[in-house]
Amino acid sequence: MSPRHNRPKGGDKSSAPAGESGDRYGGFGRTESWQGEDWSVRHVAGAAADGKRYRCPGCDQEIPSGVPHVVAWPDHGGVDDRRHWHKACWNAKDRRTSRVQRSRNAPRH
């Protein structure tokens, strides 16, 4: 019995859509429209930010270092406008309530 190969069939075709380059968590960017604005969206592996933690605006939970996630910011914004999201939270952003409510004693990160 030969070993299993987990490679896509069809040769060396890239799985990234046209105009995007990058590997699986590639750091490649794209533009999405949300709440009437264009947003730059980038998938990141999370491995480079050793020791850093981010708070997801979608679920208000921490994203530990080393966890793949999404970084999104308005096209007209700058570095300070970037937000780190869990991939599932970014994909569900339209189905969530308008604002996550924190308890009184929850930390503000």
Side-chain angles (χ1 to χ4, degrees):
M1 179 189 270
S2 58
R4 180 178 169 191
H5 295 284
N6 290 329
R7 291 185 212 126
K9 294 180 181 180
D12 293 333
K13 294 179 184 174
S14 175
S15 61
E20 295 178 351
S21 62
D23 58 353
R24 182 176 180 190
Y25 294 108
F28 61 82
R30 66 179 184 276
T31 302
E32 292 186 21
S33 182
W34 181 48
Q35 294 181 338
E37 292 184 79
D38 286 336
W39 288 68
S40 295
V41 180
R42 185 171 295 235
H43 292 267
V44 294
D50 208 18
K52 281 196 161 187
R53 293 176 179 252
Y54 303 102
R55 185 162 298 275
C56 175
C59 65
D60 200 36
Q61 300 296 312
E62 283 191 358
I63 303 172
S65 63
V67 173
H69 60 279
V70 174
V71 180
W73 64 96
D75 272 349
H76 63 80
V79 175
D80 293 335
D81 295 323
R82 291 183 301 185
R83 296 292 173 258
H84 296 254
W85 296 69
H86 292 107
K87 186 176 179 183
C89 293
W90 176 256
N91 291 337
K93 65 191 174 298
D94 293 326
R95 296 186 304 267
R96 295 193 181 266
T97 59
S98 60
R99 191 88 171 134
V100 174
Q101 298 294 318
R102 292 186 178 138
S103 64
R104 284 186 207 174
N105 57 355
R108 297 263 178 199
H109 291 283

